[in-house]
Amino acid sequence: IKQLHFNQKQTESNAIASFMENRNDNKIINKWLKSLLLTKESKAKPEQYDASQIETMNRFNDKSIGLIVIKRLPPFGPSVNDTISGPSTWAGRTGNKLRVPTGKNVIVNNITFQTGDRFSANAIMESERILRNLDWITDARLIVSPSKQNPDLIDVEIIVQDNYPHAVSVDLGSAKPEVSIYTRNLAGQGVYFNQTLASNVTSWGGIEDNLKLNNISGSRVDFEVNYIDNNDRNLIETQLERNYYISDHKYGGGIYYNRSFSNPANQILNQFNWPNEMNYQLSSIWFGKKTKPKTSEYLKDAHLYFALQHTSSRFYNVPDTLTGHPLMLRNNSFFGSVSFGKRQYFKNNLVYS
């Protein structure tokens, strides 16, 4: 059985390599950066597939998922098409060690099938798409093959390559110098955390913290919280949301809350920077349901989406000049929507969506 895989996006390391290759080699700094960062190019060439491979996988639809094998690759050196190559520089080897590989539990939580499920070509393709779209994954490849132990089972090998998770940013050239530290795969659990320490010319400028949790415990629910306390803004905002990025999701919803406080560092009130000056609260909640029409062959992958949303706003300590203004009163709004979407996997230069 020919190994099947769908899609290959250009990895960040390849993009960096392409950029470095196009720079002027006469500059010492460019030569040094190239020797530091670039690894040996893989001789493996991605195979070209067409839609017939989907039909090949559909022949397994009467079988069940057997063994699921997960192979995790480091950021530098190998790729999903050449898992043997390693980094050729000390920087690459050191970078691979200064990280925690993505946990297998995280990968399992993000795929749409498990051992014992009925085999589905769409589940394989969708799982690969989901893994590839994760911020801490550079590329992913799923390979299916008949089980050697049981002819009624199909084994799946999942190959993922991690993105390098950590970064430090220093900006000393502006009026508000700042230092940012972030990781997009904290402890290998797909947790994003960013902290920025800022200051201005005369005083300490405060902090900004951002935390994101993706697909909490396999629930497809994402959580994000932001806390900002600096010379520009003072707020805390949170969001909890379950979207329709999985084809078999029937229900979606979300909650958003923003509590912003007036900043005494900013004394001038005008219509351009009122979000930084006002003391207010914003909230929103939505709920939706997806249905599948059964009318024609064209609509076999189509869905109708029905959604309701409630938003509210409330302002505190409103200046006398704005007292009674309609926008400054406590507002409640209700919205309803009906939308149509058709999802179809297509291939173009090994890209499907």
Side-chain angles (χ1 to χ4, degrees):
I1 302 296
K2 181 181 289 187
Q3 293 180 336
L4 307 176
H5 82 285
F6 301 84
N7 197 19
Q8 178 188 0
K9 72 178 183 180
Q10 184 183 39
T11 63
E12 290 186 7
S13 59
N14 289 338
I16 294 174
S18 177
F19 173 81
M20 295 299 300
E21 289 289 354
N22 292 329
R23 307 304 295 168
N24 185 358
D25 282 346
N26 292 328
K27 295 184 178 181
I28 297 178
I29 184 65
N30 287 336
K31 289 182 178 180
W32 178 74
L33 286 174
K34 183 185 295 186
S35 65
L36 189 69
L37 295 176
L38 299 190
T39 59
K40 294 180 180 179
E41 295 184 0
S42 170
K43 295 182 179 180
K45 296 182 179 180
E47 298 181 56
Q48 298 291 333
Y49 293 105
D50 53 38
S52 64
Q53 265 61 47
I54 299 178
E55 298 180 3
T56 300
M57 282 208 299
N58 285 334
R59 296 189 310 196
F60 300 148
N61 285 343
D62 61 338
K63 301 181 183 297
S64 299
I65 300 293
L67 186 65
I68 299 177
V69 178
I70 298 175
K71 186 170 187 177
R72 299 164 296 173
L73 305 178
F76 306 111
S79 71
V80 296
N81 297 304
D82 179 11
T83 61
I84 300 177
S85 296
S88 59
T89 67
W90 69 266
R93 292 188 291 269
T94 303
N96 286 341
K97 294 178 181 179
L98 297 178
R99 47 173 278 282
V100 178
T102 298
K104 291 185 178 181
N105 63 307
V106 176
I107 298 171
V108 170
N109 283 342
N110 278 283
I111 61 178
T112 62
F113 59 88
Q114 59 184 352
T115 298
D117 286 353
R118 183 66 63 182
F119 179 86
S120 167
N122 278 349
I124 298 296
M125 292 187 294
E126 190 162 49
S127 296
E128 187 173 298
R129 175 181 62 84
I130 292 169
L131 291 173
R132 186 178 293 110
N133 286 337
L134 296 175
D135 289 340
W136 59 93
I137 297 295
T138 297
D139 204 356
R141 178 181 180 184
L142 271 64
I143 302 172
V144 300
S145 59
S147 172
K148 296 180 180 179
Q149 286 75 31
N150 189 334
D152 294 327
L153 298 179
I154 296 296
D155 293 339
V156 181
E157 182 180 11
I158 302 174
I159 306 174
V160 296
Q161 183 178 22
D162 284 352
N163 250 328
Y164 193 74
H166 312 306
V168 177
S169 173
V170 179
D171 180 8
L172 302 178
S174 64
K176 299 178 180 179
E178 63 180 32
V179 177
S180 296
I181 302 174
Y182 90 88
T183 177
R184 53 187 161 192
N185 194 8
L186 183 64
Q189 295 302 301
V191 176
Y192 175 95
F193 178 74
N194 175 76
Q195 183 170 71
T196 298
L197 307 177
S199 66
N200 57 30
V201 177
T202 59
S203 65
W204 169 251
I207 63 173
E208 296 183 20
D209 291 326
N210 177 235
L211 175 69
K212 296 179 183 178
L213 305 179
N214 172 272
N215 189 19
I216 301 173
S217 299
S219 63
R220 308 295 176 184
V221 174
D222 300 332
F223 173 76
E224 181 176 358
V225 59
N226 294 309
Y227 174 74
I228 301 176
D229 183 9
N230 57 29
N231 285 330
D232 292 326
R233 307 187 69 181
N234 186 351
L235 67 84
I236 181 170
E237 62 178 351
T238 63
Q239 180 170 293
L240 191 71
E241 190 167 52
R242 187 179 194 262
N243 260 313
Y244 297 110
Y245 58 86
I246 302 297
S247 61
D248 60 357
H249 273 181
K250 293 183 179 180
Y251 299 97
I255 300 174
Y256 172 80
Y257 178 80
N258 180 317
R259 184 67 174 95
S260 294
F261 301 90
S262 58
N263 193 330
N266 295 317
Q267 301 296 329
I268 301 176
L269 176 65
N270 61 59
Q271 60 181 341
F272 298 107
N273 64 359
W274 70 266
N276 301 345
E277 314 293 345
M278 303 298 289
N279 189 346
Y280 63 93
Q281 170 185 295
L282 301 176
S283 64
S284 175
I285 182 171
W286 72 273
F287 174 79
K289 186 179 188 302
K290 180 175 68 174
T291 63
K292 187 176 179 64
K294 299 179 180 179
T295 55
S296 68
E297 180 67 18
Y298 175 78
L299 297 177
K300 69 177 183 178
D301 296 318
H303 295 89
L304 287 174
Y305 301 85
F306 301 89
L308 295 173
Q309 182 178 13
H310 168 256
T311 64
S312 67
S313 62
R314 184 176 182 180
F315 291 83
Y316 306 90
N317 303 324
V318 178
D320 293 339
T321 55
L322 295 177
T323 300
H325 191 285
L327 292 179
M328 298 295 106
L329 301 177
R330 185 165 187 172
N331 288 283
N332 289 283
S333 302
F334 296 88
F335 304 91
S337 68
V338 179
S339 55
F340 169 81
K342 177 175 170 59
R343 175 178 298 185
Q344 182 178 6
Y345 294 103
F346 63 91
K347 290 162 60 78
N348 180 11
N349 295 327
L350 296 182
V351 175
Y352 76 87
S353 175

